[in-house]
């Protein structure tokens, strides 16, 4: 069974990644200070942005109308909690100044007015979620840096030892994905539950037959009817094909799919093509320009783009054979930037040696639905559950449709320039995949800890060992118990986490004291995570207060306070998504002097994908991986030693 206690990485809204940040910051500031801003006009009926109602039917959506709305916490809840999160990061003097600023805001007429406006927005009839439109535009659709490597996330799948042949493995995975899609289409898929609490199913509307579409200022999500678009897109050697999966009313068998894929491989490998997919790797405004260039290059191009957009998902058949963890993580994270269409909601990737993974576009889907999908198709294919259909190939199967885009010289130049920019961005990134096999979830639970809290503290201690300090850390926590809920920021640094780091780095600390410090830190982390899942974190509330401020109003000092800026500068952006079928998953850092750490907690292992930029800040993913491993080992040893000491001092009679 899949597990996704925390969703995904931090918001892309405040990413100072490279030269485009000044433009992004200006746009973000405009949005944050003008709550009356008009959003871009809605696209046509065939390209709908996110619906705000609960019209879908079936078991999958049976609880939608019962879900509570995302609450607006009171100032008396958020501001004291905010102070507790920033105090560990500040000097005594700086904290005293921040405390004064926060208390003044709490007592001010402006603070009360901003709170009133936010509560009024949340109470508006027909509004599903007070944060939704702001969050989707500011963090995703309005974000202009490339979606890969900065926004999308991926899963690396375990090998299928029965299917080393790439088209055979791809065919089995496609059959399993189609079965999952059928449950989504019919609504028969059971809704996700957190114990007995149903989670919002809204994001499933954007899983299949969906794509992000570039547009100046802010992109939009295009969705297509599942029943009318029973084809997938396939890309091989930079060439795109459409493969219908239903013939004479019956889905193609795995043998038939593999046969069709073999035809695609044979044709694509015998010719070269302009890699138009690399255009999707670019800055979003640049891609918008080139999208128009491509669509208008010939009358047929616009129709071909629609065929690609309307596909259930994209299957990428890569002519590479990655071996090491870093190699296949890079393939699934970004690849070569050519054999992709990064705007598609789902890209299933299969390499020539049978390695496979999934790349998900983050704008409309956080991690739990795609984690569930991935766990399902792997359980089906690795455990012999998938229905492969007949072993024979029917006559009269339609030839896969080659999407022959017209690529005049201007389009060729655009792909060359986009490719060069993509290569530069990828080359600026370093990656280390830590496969820690000393223990996993079972041992952590045996020691009496929440696995997620334990791993979060291992990351804290590892960073402290490397740098001698703690910095603002983001862990994504799910708020999907609320209608159209997505995430809240779980701030991992606390007084208790810093005391824990100090205790473990002091050689004079006894094992029992280390264990007590670890227990206190894990408990504090768990308490904050639970508050976040109830919509009681601080970051989304404070963001909402910023966004209801009008352009002609004075900015409250709380938002210009260096402590606020520092506490939102995520030196560590972390998240957990776990399945026994994964060989890890990953994403990028969110600030140039920070790390992105995606981790998987398996029964007997921990897997960390650690990414960072190669720049003037001198970050080192190998060193951080070393210290996280050391921290995890020391934490386990301290817990075992303390328990042995306790047992020795209290022998059974």
């Amino acid at each position: 069974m899949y597990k996704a206690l925390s969703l995904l990485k931090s918001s892309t809204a405040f990413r100072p990644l490279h030269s485009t940040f000044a433009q992004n910051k200006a746009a973000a500031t405009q949005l944050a200070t003008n709550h009356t801003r008009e959003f871009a006009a809605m696209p046509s009926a065939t390209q709908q942005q996110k619906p705000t109602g609960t019209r879908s039917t079936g078991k999958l959506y049976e609880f939608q109308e019962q879900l509570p709305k995302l609450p607006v916490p009171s100032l008396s809840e958020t501001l004291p909690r905010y102070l507790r999160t920033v105090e560990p990061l500040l000097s005594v003097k700086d904290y005293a100044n921040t405390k004064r600023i926060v208390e003044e805001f709490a007592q001010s007429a402006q603070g009360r007015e901003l709170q009133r406006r936010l509560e009024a927005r949340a109470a508006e009839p027909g509004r599903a979620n007070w944060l939704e439109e702001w969050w989707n535009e500011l963090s995703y659709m309005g974000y202009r840096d490339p979606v890969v490597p900065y926004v999308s996330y991926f899963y690396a799948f375990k090998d299928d030892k029965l299917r080393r042949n790439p088209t055979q493995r791809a065919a089995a995975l496609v059959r399993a994905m189609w079965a999952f899609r059928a449950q989504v289409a019919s609504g028969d898929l059971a809704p996700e539950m957190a114990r007995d609490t149903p989670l919002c199913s809204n994001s499933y509307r954007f899983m299949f037959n969906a794509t992000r579409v570039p547009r100046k200022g802010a992109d939009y999500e295009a969705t297509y009817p599942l029943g009318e678009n029973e084809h997938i897109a396939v890309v091989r050697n930079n060439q795109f094909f459409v493969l219908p999966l239903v013939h004479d009313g019956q889905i193609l068998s795995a043998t038939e799919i593999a046969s069709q894929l073999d035809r695609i491989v044979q044709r694509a490998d015998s010719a070269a093509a302009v890699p138009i997919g690399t255009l999707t790797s670019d800055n979003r405004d640049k891609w918008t320009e080139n999208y128009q260039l491509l669509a208008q290059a010939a009358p047929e191009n616009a129709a071909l783009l629609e065929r690609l957009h309307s596909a259930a998902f994209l299957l990428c058949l890569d002519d590479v054979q990655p071996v090491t963890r870093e190699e296949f993580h890079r393939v699934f994270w970004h690849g070569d930037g050519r054999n992709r269409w990064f705007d598609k909601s789902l890209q299933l990737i299969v390499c020539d040696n049978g390695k496979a993974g999934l790349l998900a576009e983050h704008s409309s889907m956080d991690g739990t639905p795609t984690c569930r999908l991935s766990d399902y198709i792997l359980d089906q294919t690795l455990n012999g559950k998938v229905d492969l259909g007949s072993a024979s190939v029917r006559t009269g199967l339609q030839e896969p449709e080659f999407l022959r885009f017209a690529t005049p010289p201007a389009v060729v130049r655009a792909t060359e320039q986009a490719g060069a920019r993509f290569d530069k961005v990828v080359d600026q990134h370093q990656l280390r995949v830590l496969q820690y096999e000393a223990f996993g979830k079972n041992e952590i639970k045996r020691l009496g800890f929440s696995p997620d809290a334990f791993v979060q503290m291992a990351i804290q201690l590892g960073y402290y060992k490397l740098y001698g300090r703690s910095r603002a850390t983001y862990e994504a926590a799910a708020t999907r118990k609320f209608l159209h809920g997505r995430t809240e920021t779980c701030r991992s640094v606390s007084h208790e986490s810093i005391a824990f780091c100090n205790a473990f780095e002091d050689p004079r600390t006894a094992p029992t004291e280390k264990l007590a410090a670890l227990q206190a830190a894990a408990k504090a982390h768990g308490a904050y995570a639970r508050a976040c899942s109830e919509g009681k974190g601080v970051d989304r509330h404070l963001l909402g207060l910023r966004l209801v401020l009008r352009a002609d109003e004075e900015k409250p000092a709380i938002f210009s306070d260096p402590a606020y800026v520092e506490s939102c500068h995520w030196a560590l952006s972390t998240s957990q998504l776990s399945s026994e079928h994964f060989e890890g998953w990953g994403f990028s850092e969110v600030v140039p002097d920070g790390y992105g750490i995606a981790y998987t907690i398996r029964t007997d292992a921990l897997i960390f994908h650690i990414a960072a930029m190669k720049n003037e800040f001198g970050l080192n993913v190998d060193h951080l991986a070393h210290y996280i491993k050391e921290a995890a080992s020391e934490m386990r040893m301290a817990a075992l030693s303390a328990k042995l000491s306790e047992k020795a001092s209290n022998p059974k009679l």
Side-chain angles (χ1 to χ4, degrees):
M1 186 65 182
Y2 79 101
K3 186 174 184 180
L5 291 179
S6 59
L7 279 167
L8 274 179
K9 58 184 171 176
S10 50
S11 161
T12 57
F14 308 109
R15 285 182 175 175
L17 287 165
H18 41 72
S19 59
T20 62
F21 174 60
Q23 296 169 331
N24 291 341
K25 183 178 179 183
T29 301
Q30 180 183 7
L31 177 58
T33 56
N34 185 4
H35 80 292
T36 61
R37 170 177 173 174
E38 292 293 335
F39 289 89
M42 290 288 287
S44 65
T46 59
Q47 296 184 338
Q48 288 293 314
Q49 285 183 322
K50 293 188 165 192
T52 56
T54 54
R55 294 183 297 274
S56 296
T57 59
K59 184 191 299 183
L60 181 58
Y61 301 101
E62 66 178 320
F63 296 111
Q64 288 298 101
E65 295 185 359
Q66 303 171 29
L67 293 177
K69 290 188 176 183
L70 182 69
V72 177
S74 65
L75 292 179
S76 62
E77 291 175 299
T78 294
L79 298 181
R81 181 172 285 133
Y82 168 69
L83 285 175
R84 288 195 296 273
T85 68
V86 299
E87 185 176 10
L89 301 171
L90 303 176
S91 67
V92 173
K93 179 180 178 181
D94 289 342
Y95 176 70
N97 183 59
T98 293
K99 187 171 184 290
R100 176 187 57 79
I101 290 172
V102 171
E103 289 175 346
E104 289 176 355
F105 179 74
Q107 298 168 9
S108 68
Q110 185 182 37
R112 292 191 296 274
E113 171 59 18
L114 296 180
Q115 177 72 8
R116 184 200 65 77
R117 292 177 192 170
L118 193 56
E119 291 173 350
R121 176 183 172 88
E124 289 174 0
R127 183 177 294 282
N129 185 302
W130 63 263
L131 180 62
E132 183 178 26
E133 291 92 341
W134 286 337
W135 185 253
N136 291 342
E137 177 160 339
L138 187 57
S139 294
Y140 298 111
M141 294 305 183
Y143 179 70
R144 306 325 284 161
D145 278 337
V147 294
V148 171
Y150 298 127
V151 179
S152 297
Y153 58 96
F154 74 90
Y155 304 106
F157 295 167
K158 275 190 173 180
D159 290 341
D160 187 340
K161 295 183 179 180
L162 294 177
R163 300 180 182 88
R164 300 290 190 182
N165 177 281
T167 55
Q168 291 178 7
R169 182 163 199 202
L173 290 169
V174 167
R175 283 278 300 195
M177 284 185 72
W178 205 257
F180 190 92
R181 177 184 179 274
Q183 295 180 68
V184 172
S186 66
D188 290 338
L189 185 69
E192 293 173 82
M193 306 288 286
R195 293 187 175 88
D196 296 327
T197 302
L199 303 182
C200 183
S201 296
N202 185 58
S203 56
Y204 283 92
R205 297 169 177 158
F206 310 100
M207 180 173 282
F208 296 105
N209 301 88
T211 190
R212 178 170 171 163
V213 181
R215 182 172 55 187
K216 281 287 187 182
D219 300 343
Y220 64 92
E221 189 80 10
T223 61
Y224 297 80
L226 274 63
E228 300 173 17
N229 296 280
E230 296 183 316
H231 64 279
I232 65 171
V234 183
V235 60
R236 170 74 176 194
N237 194 23
N238 311 328
Q239 298 164 62
F240 291 89
F241 299 79
V242 163
L243 174 58
L245 282 191
V246 177
H247 178 70
D248 289 340
Q250 183 179 352
I251 181 175
L252 271 61
S253 69
T255 302
E256 290 173 328
I257 295 171
S259 174
Q260 294 287 67
L261 295 179
D262 286 335
R263 297 167 77 175
I264 288 174
V265 170
Q266 182 177 9
R267 173 169 180 170
D269 287 359
S270 65
V274 176
I276 61 170
T278 196
L279 297 174
T280 67
S281 73
D282 217 341
N283 170 279
R284 301 304 297 179
D285 283 338
K286 189 65 180 176
W287 167 217
T288 301
E289 296 173 4
N290 287 328
Y291 181 85
Q292 297 300 322
L293 178 68
L294 177 64
Q296 297 170 9
E300 66 270 20
N301 279 11
L304 296 178
L305 285 169
E306 280 290 290
R307 295 287 283 156
L308 181 56
H309 288 173
S310 62
F313 54 87
L314 175 63
L315 170 62
C316 307
L317 297 175
D318 281 13
D319 60 353
V320 296
Q321 300 188 40
V323 175
T324 69
R325 292 186 180 279
E326 284 77 15
E327 286 175 347
F328 63 74
H329 271 232
R330 280 195 175 275
V331 168
F332 305 139
W333 182 18
H334 51 69
D336 68 357
R338 278 76 174 171
N339 206 55
R340 299 285 185 275
W341 193 267
F342 287 129
D343 289 2
K344 281 300 288 181
S345 58
L346 296 174
Q347 295 183 84
L348 178 63
I349 304 165
V350 180
C351 304
D352 271 355
N353 60 353
K355 292 282 187 185
L358 183 80
L359 180 66
E361 205 283 303
H362 195 355
S363 299
S364 297
M365 287 188 299
D366 292 318
T368 41
T370 54
C371 182
R372 182 188 192 185
L373 165 68
S374 298
D375 190 77
Y376 173 87
I377 65 175
L378 291 171
D379 178 56
Q380 292 283 306
T381 56
L382 299 181
N383 296 321
K385 300 178 181 179
V386 62
D387 178 6
L388 299 175
S390 173
S392 62
V393 177
R394 289 171 286 174
T395 59
L397 288 183
Q398 180 181 345
E399 178 87 15
E401 176 189 352
F402 174 51
L403 301 184
R404 190 183 300 277
F405 285 90
T407 53
V411 172
V412 175
R413 286 193 300 272
T415 62
E416 292 171 347
Q417 294 165 358
R421 286 189 288 269
F422 174 83
D423 292 343
K424 182 178 180 181
V425 168
V426 168
D427 188 58
Q428 291 173 340
H429 281 82
Q430 52 182 312
L431 171 66
R432 172 66 188 277
V433 182
L434 170 62
Q435 175 90 358
Y436 182 75
E437 297 180 326
F439 61 89
K441 175 177 60 179
N442 286 353
E443 176 69 358
I444 296 172
K445 286 186 173 181
R446 191 178 71 84
L447 295 172
F449 291 96
S450 154
D452 186 73
F454 187 95
V455 174
Q456 279 289 319
M457 291 308 108
I459 294 171
Q460 286 299 308
L461 182 54
Y463 190 90
Y464 192 90
K465 284 173 173 287
L466 181 57
Y467 293 105
R469 60 177 294 205
S470 297
R471 293 185 66 195
T473 303
Y474 183 117
E475 182 187 10
T479 56
R480 285 180 59 214
K481 67 183 295 181
F482 302 105
L483 186 61
H484 293 196
R486 295 194 64 168
T487 62
E488 173 60 276
T489 305
C490 180
R491 294 184 167 211
S492 299
V493 177
S494 63
H495 285 293
E496 292 84 356
S497 73
I498 289 181
F500 149 74
C501 291
N502 288 331
F504 269 74
E505 285 300 276
D506 186 346
R508 299 166 298 181
T509 308
T512 53
E513 295 174 307
K514 289 183 177 180
L515 176 59
L518 173 56
Q519 289 171 332
K523 181 179 179 181
H525 184 80
Y528 196 93
R530 287 189 294 274
C532 289
S533 69
E534 297 294 331
K536 301 291 187 179
V538 304
D539 286 275
R540 303 299 185 263
H541 185 197
L542 293 176
L543 175 64
L545 295 174
R546 287 174 54 202
L547 294 177
V548 295
L549 189 71
R550 299 193 179 103
D552 59 349
E553 293 178 322
E554 182 179 358
K555 184 178 182 179
I558 186 175
F559 299 125
S560 57
D561 180 18
Y564 178 70
V565 176
E566 175 64 22
S567 73
C568 296
H569 187 83
W570 309 114
L572 288 168
S573 176
T574 72
S575 186
Q576 180 213 154
L577 284 170
S578 294
S579 166
E580 294 299 311
H581 300 124
F582 291 172
E583 294 291 353
W585 72 294
F587 49 75
S588 77
E589 75 295 326
V590 298
V591 293
D593 58 339
Y595 296 90
I597 304 179
Y599 56 96
T600 295
I601 303 175
R602 294 206 313 223
T603 300
D604 57 359
L606 308 173
I607 307 173
F608 299 84
H609 167 103
I610 307 173
M613 296 188 76
K614 294 183 285 187
N615 55 27
E616 68 274 20
F617 295 106
L619 305 181
N620 192 310
V621 294
D622 294 321
H623 289 178
L624 183 55
H626 170 85
Y627 283 121
I628 290 175
K629 179 179 179 180
E630 183 176 280
S633 298
E634 289 181 2
M635 289 161 62
R636 176 174 180 260
M637 185 58 65
L640 291 175
S641 297
K643 290 180 182 295
L644 287 173
S645 176
E646 181 182 0
K647 185 178 294 186
S649 61
N650 296 284
K652 291 184 178 180
L653 297 177

